[in-house]
């Protein structure tokens, strides 16, 4: 299945196909020097399968985790390219999740003012969300994604077979971002979540496909996030606060988004969402002190004066962007506190 995404300067294709990893040589131009970036949490065979299809591959394996998404890793990628005589006509390929994709994309964006970048996302989270839309970045001085660029990939290749090696918790992590898109933009996708008892490969592939179509529609209208794209931040204000209070390792991002969505919904939507979250084995109330989280939200970049911009969901498949006072926002957060 091929999806084309229009960008401000052109377009790129997303291939969604079982076994695609074994034919990337046909899908991408790998007949050159190729920096393959992966991490030690990704099965080695994936990067090796890509390398086999490249003319001159160089594999770099970074430590798994958010801590890798920093300026030192970014410089390491640049140094590796210089040491291996990479020129403007060579390319970078990410084989991994969001950290690998964001970092590699930013290294490609900045090497010699921009060389080709291909993304082969290997987690559900990166397949449904972060590999699409051209956001690349590294974290800097404690701030997530502070240094980065909008730099769309030349192509994205999604092989649903890679999901088979993911732990269940990682799969659910990615499904939460898809659920976010369903709740805000796609009633039919939400129905899939509601009516599915076993999230097998067929269902997950269908969810990935629907999510890609939603994300395509959003980023084609607002690549630079000046308006509509902010809908993808649904649930993320509280999610980022949970991450900053607990550090990046205790919870997965999707788990934080899952609970972050709840206070932003009407009572009816909240009940429907809770049913799906419980089915996926997720929490539906905060384990942390709500006041600590509220305090962490004060520094959110969506704050302006005493107001904060939030995405709310009055009914499944519909969203609103609202400026509310911080006091109203705080009460919403308190509503998911453990009683
Ligand atoms: N993950 C949110 C976005 O791509 O805008």
């Amino acid at each position: 299945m091929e999806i084309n995404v229009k960008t401000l300067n052109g377009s790129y294709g997303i291939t969604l196909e079982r076994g695609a990893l074994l034919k990337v040589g046909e899908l991408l131009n790998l007949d050159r020097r190729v920096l393959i970036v992966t991490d030690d949490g990704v099965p080695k065979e994936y990067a090796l399968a890509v390398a086999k299809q490249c003319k001159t591959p160089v594999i770099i394996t970074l430590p798994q985790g958010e801590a890798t998404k920093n300026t030192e890793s970014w410089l390491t990628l640049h140094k590796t390219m210089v040491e291996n005589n990479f020129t403007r006509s060579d390319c970078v390929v990410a084989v991994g999740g969001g950290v690998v994709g964001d970092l590699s994309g930013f290294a490609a964006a900045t090497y010699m003012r921009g060389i080709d970048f291909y993304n082969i996302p290997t987690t559900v989270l990166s397949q449904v969300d972060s590999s699409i839309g051209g956001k690349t970045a590294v974290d800097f001085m404690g701030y997530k994604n502070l240094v980065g660029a909008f730099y769309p990939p030349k192509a994205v290749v999604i092989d649903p077979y890679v999901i088979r090696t993911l732990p269940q918790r990682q799969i659910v992590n990615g499904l939460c971002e898809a659920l976010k898109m369903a709740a805000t933009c796609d009633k039919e996708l939400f129905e899939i979540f509601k009516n599915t008892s076993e999230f097998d490969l067929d269902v997950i592939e269908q969810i990935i496909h629907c999510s890609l179509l939603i994300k395509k529609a959003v980023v084609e209208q607002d690549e630079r996030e000046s308006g509509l794209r902010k809908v993808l931040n649904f649930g993320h204000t509280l999610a980022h606060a949970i991450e900053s209070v607990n550090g990046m390792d205790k919870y997965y991002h999707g788990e934080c988004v899952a609970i972050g969505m709840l206070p932003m919904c009407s009572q009816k939507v909240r009940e429907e969402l809770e049913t799906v979250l419980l089915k996926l084995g997720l929490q539906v109330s905060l384990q942390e002190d709500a006041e600590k989280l509220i305090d962490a939200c004060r520094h959110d970049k969506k704050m302006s004066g005493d107001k904060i911009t939030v995405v709310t969901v009055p009914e499944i498949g519909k969203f609103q962007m609202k400026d509310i006072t911080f006091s109203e926002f705080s009460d919403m957060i308190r509503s998911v506190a453990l009683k």
Side-chain angles (χ1 to χ4, degrees):
M1 208 170 310
E2 194 72 23
I3 297 171
N4 194 266
V5 182
K6 289 193 199 71
T7 66
L8 293 172
N9 299 314
S11 68
Y12 57 93
I14 306 168
T15 303
L16 172 63
E17 189 181 322
R18 293 184 190 191
L21 197 64
L22 301 177
K23 54 179 266 200
V24 284
E26 293 165 36
L27 300 166
L28 313 173
N29 173 8
L30 303 178
D31 194 18
R32 45 185 164 166
R33 286 186 187 81
V34 181
L35 181 71
I36 301 168
V37 186
T38 190
D39 72 39
D40 57 16
V42 178
K44 280 192 197 63
E45 306 83 75
Y46 297 167
L48 289 173
V50 175
K52 267 196 199 146
Q53 301 168 74
C54 301
K55 184 174 173 201
T56 315
V58 177
I59 299 182
I60 180 155
T61 306
L62 298 163
Q64 182 181 29
E66 184 73 24
T68 288
K69 206 173 116 175
N70 58 26
T71 45
E72 286 88 67
S73 307
W74 170 60
L75 287 176
T76 303
L77 299 190
H78 280 197
K79 279 187 199 144
T80 309
M81 286 192 270
V82 173
E83 282 160 10
N84 288 279
N85 306 311
F86 272 57
T87 68
R88 298 210 70 227
S89 47
D90 296 317
C91 68
V92 177
V93 180
V95 181
V99 167
V100 166
D102 285 10
L103 169 67
S104 315
F106 188 51
T110 43
Y111 188 73
M112 294 189 169
R113 299 198 178 90
I115 63 171
D116 286 354
F117 169 55
Y118 299 120
N119 204 339
I120 306 179
T122 59
T123 60
V124 178
L125 190 98
S126 56
Q127 293 181 340
V128 299
D129 189 19
S130 66
S131 65
I132 314 303
K135 279 187 178 175
T136 73
V138 290
D139 304 337
F140 190 56
M141 293 179 71
Y143 296 98
K144 216 166 137 60
N145 300 325
L146 189 78
V147 178
F150 285 99
Y151 193 69
K154 274 270 150 199
V156 178
V157 177
I158 300 175
D159 183 347
Y161 273 151
V162 301
I163 294 165
R164 293 182 301 188
T165 55
L166 289 176
Q168 181 61 15
R169 190 176 164 206
Q170 261 295 351
I171 293 176
V172 170
N173 180 33
L175 291 178
C176 292
E177 287 283 5
L179 187 58
K180 167 200 81 180
M181 296 197 228
T184 47
C185 302
D186 190 341
K187 198 170 183 317
E188 280 171 32
L189 177 55
F190 195 83
E191 288 298 309
I192 296 178
F193 275 101
K194 238 171 98 175
N195 300 329
T196 300
S197 49
E198 200 196 326
F199 288 82
D200 60 16
L201 193 58
D202 287 339
V203 176
I204 295 174
E205 190 169 348
Q206 200 185 351
I207 291 174
I208 294 170
H209 185 231
C210 295
S211 305
L212 290 173
L213 293 178
I214 298 168
K215 182 114 192 212
K216 164 190 156 76
V218 171
V219 299
E220 281 185 346
Q221 289 175 71
D222 180 22
E223 187 173 310
R224 297 288 170 121
E225 199 173 305
S226 46
L228 176 67
R229 188 166 178 168
K230 293 187 179 135
V231 65
L232 301 174
N233 296 331
F234 174 53
H236 279 61
T237 306
L238 178 55
H240 289 152
I242 298 172
E243 286 168 339
S244 87
V245 164
N246 291 293
M248 297 303 291
D249 294 327
K250 183 167 177 191
Y251 297 118
Y252 287 164
H253 179 66
E255 294 168 345
C256 300
V257 171
I259 196 150
M261 295 188 278
L262 294 174
M264 302 298 148
C265 300
S266 65
Q267 188 56 33
K268 183 169 182 301
V269 171
R270 187 161 161 175
E271 283 165 17
E272 287 189 80
L273 255 180
E274 282 184 359
T275 308
V276 175
L277 296 180
L278 289 169
K279 182 165 68 177
L280 291 170
L282 292 159
Q283 310 273 3
V284 293
S285 45
L286 290 170
Q287 304 303 300
E288 298 72 16
D289 176 1
E291 301 311 315
K292 252 196 197 166
L293 296 172
I294 291 167
D295 211 42
C297 290
R298 268 180 225 286
H299 308 292
D300 194 279
K301 54 183 183 291
K302 293 177 279 308
M303 278 291 291
S304 132
D306 180 43
K307 297 258 172 155
I308 185 160
T309 309
V310 291
V311 180
T312 60
V313 174
E315 61 181 282
I316 292 294
K318 298 214 160 73
F319 67 89
Q320 294 174 337
M321 284 186 206
K322 281 189 187 161
D323 287 334
I324 58 171
T325 64
F326 197 72
S327 149
E328 287 169 316
F329 173 78
S330 305
D331 285 341
M332 287 161 101
I333 302 294
R334 288 184 191 109
S335 75
V336 274
L338 204 54
K339 306 258 167 13

